[in-house]
Amino acid sequence: MVRGARTIALAAGILFLFVYPRFAGAFPVLLLTEIVIFALFALSFNLLFGYTGLLSFGHAAFFGLGGYAMALLVQHYQLSMIPALAVSMLVAGLGAAIIGFFCIRRDEIYFAMLTLGFGMMVFTLVHQWRSLTGGSDGITGFEVPLLDLVVKKFSLFSPWAFYYFALVVCLLFTLFLWRITHSPFGLILRSMRENAERVSFIGIDIKFYRWIAFTLAGLVAGVAGGLFAMYDRMASPTMVHWTMSAKPVLMAILGGTRVFLGPALGALIFYLLEHFITQYTQSWMIFLGAILVPIVIFFPQGVLGTLISWGRRLKGREDHGG
Amino acid sequence: MEDRTILSVENLSKAFGKFYAIKDVTLQVPKGEITALIGPNGAGKTTFYNVVTGKYKPTTGRIVFEGREITGLPPHKTARLGLGRSFQITNIFLENTVEENILAALVAYHGRGLSLFRGLNAYRDLKEEAHEILEMLGLADRAREVAKNLAYGDKRLVEIGIAMAGHPKLIMLDEPTAGMTPEETDRMVAMIQGLFQETGITFFLTEHDMKVVFSIAHRILVLHQGSLLAQGSPEEIRNNPRVREAYLGGSLDA
Amino acid sequence: METLLINILNGLCYGMLLFIISMGLTIIFGVMGVLNFAHGSFYMLGAYLCLWLAPHIPGFWLALVVAPLLVGLLGALSEVALLRPLYGRDVSFQLLLTFGVLLILDDAVKLIWGPGYHSMEAPRVLAGTVPILGSTYPVYSLFIALLGPIIAGVLWFFFHRTAWGKMIRAAAMDREMASAIGINVPLLFTAVFFFGTFLAGMAGVLAAPLRAVGPAMGDNIIIAAFIVVVVGGLGSFLGAFVGAIILGLVEALGVQLVPQLQMALPYILLALILLVRPRGLFGRE
């Protein structure tokens, strides 16, 4: 029954994502675009955190690498959308492979600190390398490239067009992550989260597997970053700063790290809260904090995780009653 | 003689700072038997296991497994060579289901860990094998249970199941009955004997409970203060005066 | 040559501030296992309270006592009300909760004191400059650089010679043992959180005349303090002292010697130390 309810909710959600924007104004569509992109970013983070047990505090590095690569490719080489996004993904993946090579040598809090350190090194790199990155101003003034589907070229200039493009890309990569987490590889990752030492005694080189997971997570974060740079018409150092790394952490825990779509729901909650609260007051962070604190205390598995376990309990009661 | 030996340890020492947890131990574990490593608390049994399986690097000495030197190899390599082990404290994947606990080890053994794009459910062969192992352990009906919800004795069985799933040539059990009730202990002893008869795998276990040791071991090694005190058949060990002294008499009669 | 000396003094001065903050952070981590993200915000709060109190209760010196006490009380209160339900849960929840506290404090400060930056005069006794090797140097900075070791000495005395201090140290080494030998752990945790945030508040007060008081000051320093405690070794008091001096000097000398890399230096230091000595300089393996 829970499974059925889940399928219905999922189908309704996807239907909503496709249908609603056709009837919505520009502002909600823009908001939704940002949500979809950050949902993917948070999901990619959760491959490391929820599935592998590694809390990364530098995930923005790969979001930013993707964003900067995208902006540079579009500005200097006039690549069209898909090739540019593909190259940005590879750049971020390469960055993750290099940084991950060092970070996976440690775990727990030390891993978090190493990722923070390397993430901020990337931040200072983009901040200081003015000739390439424009320093603190970032890269602006480029046109959103065309979507070249061989048979036809589409402009992604309008918010609606870009939204649908971003949505399809994000859904595809969400599917990619879902596939990974439900594969034998995903089982090994989850086992490492539970008990990394034990995994090494069943014949798995845990560092190698962590490294692969780190690289994959960076790859997908790069896609999200590339999309975000196009959405924002800008690649700026804030994309790489540690406060950006904190966002997926927040979203994932908010939504639930042990449920695949938890971080995506977390992204939705995060943006809806921001949107509604900033209508009334400038200082929305105080409210975010005030909402975050009880959620952390009362929803130990995150919002989605807790909802699902309520559903299970309800079902258990029905089964016993019937 | 050599072909009858599955594990051979020569002059093995492990020091932590100045303290020698294991001192110059030489011993052989014969193939196709159940060997027990006993010794009072702090004798260095667990350290010995950790050095052999690669968790710690030895300070000096050699370890040869199936004619191949494995000294200092990390755990994932010794495991792949066929050295399975269980742990003294329950060391399983608590938030995963019982089936997934076994499946993880099977995935590792069959080299499917890097399969990223095919669903786990598509691996019928692995699922069947996991089912067989759970059946052997008497846990088949708990397969979908989250492991942390199992009773203590069942968790210990899962622990053995993970080790078995790696198709080990030698399985090293570190105090398989630690913390168990008498009933659970009896079940575990029957399980070990059953697995031994069914699979013919060589067992090498440490054990506290002398009743267990003398009822299942074909051969006993005695570790005392990091050194090998004696080795022999249960009968020889029972009558060895130095062993009796180390155990302050008494408890060997249990 | 003078610039080198000036930079070394700047480094020591900044290092001593970092030390006081990091000390609180490392005690809280050592005893409770909580990496307190809000620690920088408590520091910031100390600075704002000083700014606000100093004109009312006469003077900086009284504020140096009162403001940290208030900050510590708020810290203790948040430990009891917010952190306590989370013990025994995954560490990430505690991290997230302290992050929530950070968000609240940062915006609360903006609401109360506005988003702009404030500056504050050094107390009269310590105003002005002294000549050093032909150039001049602010007395107040010198005062901080000298105060640091004094505070370190007081803390050393507290941790090695008093019953409470020894208990905290024992608990920081081994939490399970602490409860095993009958230390009242909930009370100890509250006391430790009070003490840790008290130190953060005190660092904030001391920083008020030195650096611009603004809403971002906490976010900037918390990362530096994380680096200090990780480089020094989580839970290690000596580590916090040495780590703070190293980081202070690295930042100050970096400005002079490798200006392009200056911003990256702390992170390079962090990564290098963690890769070479996984548990930091004075951490236990």
Side-chain angles (χ1 to χ4, degrees), chain C residues 32-259:
Chain C
M32 307 166 64
V34 174
L35 204 53
N36 180 19
F37 243 103
H39 208 69
S41 306
F42 285 109
Y43 156 84
M44 170 191 68
L45 197 63
Y48 271 103
L49 283 176
C50 169
L51 200 73
W52 178 59
L53 282 172
H56 293 85
I57 57 170
F60 174 82
W61 300 106
L62 204 56
L64 183 58
V65 180
V66 177
L69 276 176
L70 291 175
V71 173
L73 280 177
L74 190 70
L77 195 72
S78 52
E79 190 276 335
V80 173
L82 306 177
L83 268 176
R84 199 167 277 184
L86 297 183
Y87 296 136
R89 270 203 231 154
D90 198 282
V91 192
S92 60
F93 285 99
Q94 295 154 17
L95 206 72
L96 196 69
L97 185 112
T98 60
F99 192 74
V101 173
L102 171 147
L103 293 176
I104 294 175
L105 286 179
D106 282 11
D107 253 11
V109 158
K110 269 189 234 169
L111 274 182
I112 300 170
W113 287 285
Y117 277 84
H118 306 264
S119 62
M120 191 181 162
E121 303 261 308
R124 196 163 303 142
V125 220
L126 300 172
T129 57
V130 282
I132 289 179
L133 283 182
S135 58
T136 58
Y137 197 73
V139 179
Y140 187 77
S141 300
L142 217 51
F143 162 72
I144 298 288
L146 293 175
L147 185 67
I150 295 173
I151 290 180
V154 172
L155 288 175
W156 186 88
F157 182 84
F158 173 71
F159 284 118
H160 288 85
R161 292 285 180 267
T162 68
W164 265 94
K166 283 182 192 167
M167 203 153 76
I168 293 177
R169 223 157 49 97
M173 292 272 192
D174 191 339
R175 244 168 297 157
E176 278 158 39
M177 190 203 68
S179 64
I181 61 171
I183 293 174
N184 180 343
V185 172
L187 182 66
L188 179 76
F189 277 18
T190 310
V192 162
F193 216 81
F194 171 81
F195 190 55
T197 48
F198 174 88
L199 285 175
M202 188 157 84
V205 175
L206 291 171
L210 203 62
R211 328 186 97 213
V213 178
M217 68 186 287
D219 298 358
N220 293 332
I221 205 115
I222 183 67
I223 300 296
F226 277 164
I227 293 175
V228 166
V229 297
V230 172
V231 164
L234 281 164
S236 160
F237 305 155
L238 182 62
F241 190 71
V242 176
I245 291 178
I246 292 177
L247 189 63
L249 288 178
V250 161
E251 289 217 356
L253 295 179
V255 179
Q256 185 183 354
L257 302 175
V258 273

Side-chain angles (χ1 to χ4, degrees), chain B residues 78-108:
Chain B
T78 61
R80 293 211 70 92
L81 290 172
L83 208 65
R85 82 170 279 190
S86 78
F87 293 78
Q88 194 174 348
I89 44 164
T90 305
N91 208 352
I92 62 177
F93 311 117
L94 287 173
E95 295 282 345
N96 294 352
T97 66
V98 172
E99 187 191 33
E100 286 171 338
N101 269 269
I102 308 297
L103 270 177
L106 287 172
V107 164

Side-chain angles (χ1 to χ4, degrees), chain B residues 1-61:
Chain B
M1 186 64 204
E2 188 56 38
D3 51 321
R4 282 253 307 124
T5 301
I6 189 162
L7 177 74
S8 152
V9 170
E10 294 160 27
N11 307 106
L12 194 73
S13 297
K14 173 68 192 172
F16 296 99
K18 282 188 176 158
F19 170 71
Y20 274 81
I22 301 175
K23 212 161 37 196
D24 202 26
V25 170
T26 297
L27 57 79
Q28 283 82 37
V29 176
K31 194 178 282 188
E33 290 185 8
I34 300 179
T35 303
L37 178 68
I38 64 170
N41 257 337
K45 291 169 298 199
T46 299
T47 307
F48 180 78
Y49 266 37
N50 283 336
V51 173
V52 170
T53 54
K55 184 176 175 183
Y56 300 147
K57 284 202 174 13
T59 310
T60 60

Side-chain angles (χ1 to χ4, degrees), chain A residues 49 55 57 106 109-110 113-114 117 120-121 124 128 242 250 253 283-286 288-289 293 296-297 300, chain C residues 37 82 89 92-93 95-96 99-100 103-104 107 111 223 230 234 260 263-264 267 270-271 274-275 278-279:
Chain A
F49 183 50
L55 175 56
F57 248 99
R106 304 283 170 256
I109 220 86
Y110 298 94
M113 286 294 126
L114 264 182
M120 289 304 285
M121 278 188 230
T124 48
Q128 305 290 75
W242 75 263
L250 217 69
I253 299 180
S283 35
W284 90 276
M285 285 292 176
I286 198 170
L288 176 67
V293 165
V296 171
I297 295 178
Chain C
F37 243 103
L82 306 177
R89 270 203 231 154
S92 60
F93 285 99
L95 206 72
L96 196 69
F99 192 74
L103 293 176
I104 294 175
D107 253 11
L111 274 182
I223 300 296
V230 172
L234 281 164
Q260 312 85 345
M263 272 171 75
Y267 304 106
L270 170 74
L274 273 184
L275 291 171
R279 296 291 179 259

Side-chain angles (χ1 to χ4, degrees), chain B residues 229 236-249 252:
Chain B
L229 187 70
E236 285 162 1
I237 295 299
R238 205 193 288 272
N239 298 322
N240 186 318
R242 292 175 66 197
V243 176
R244 297 189 76 95
E245 193 186 330
Y247 272 88
L248 302 163
L252 276 187

Side-chain angles (χ1 to χ4, degrees), chain A residues 109-167:
Chain A
I109 220 86
Y110 298 94
F111 174 83
M113 286 294 126
L114 264 182
T115 48
L116 174 75
F118 277 101
M120 289 304 285
M121 278 188 230
V122 176
F123 171 78
T124 48
L125 188 77
V126 303
H127 200 269
Q128 305 290 75
W129 194 353
R130 218 152 279 205
S131 55
L132 183 73
T133 63
S136 56
D137 300 331
I139 303 172
T140 52
F142 49 79
E143 300 260 315
V144 176
L146 292 174
L147 175 63
D148 187 348
L149 291 180
V150 189
V151 284
K152 196 167 180 242
K153 291 182 179 171
F154 298 89
S155 160
L156 295 177
F157 181 77
S158 93
W160 287 270
F162 187 78
Y163 167 76
Y164 280 110
F165 173 71
L167 177 65

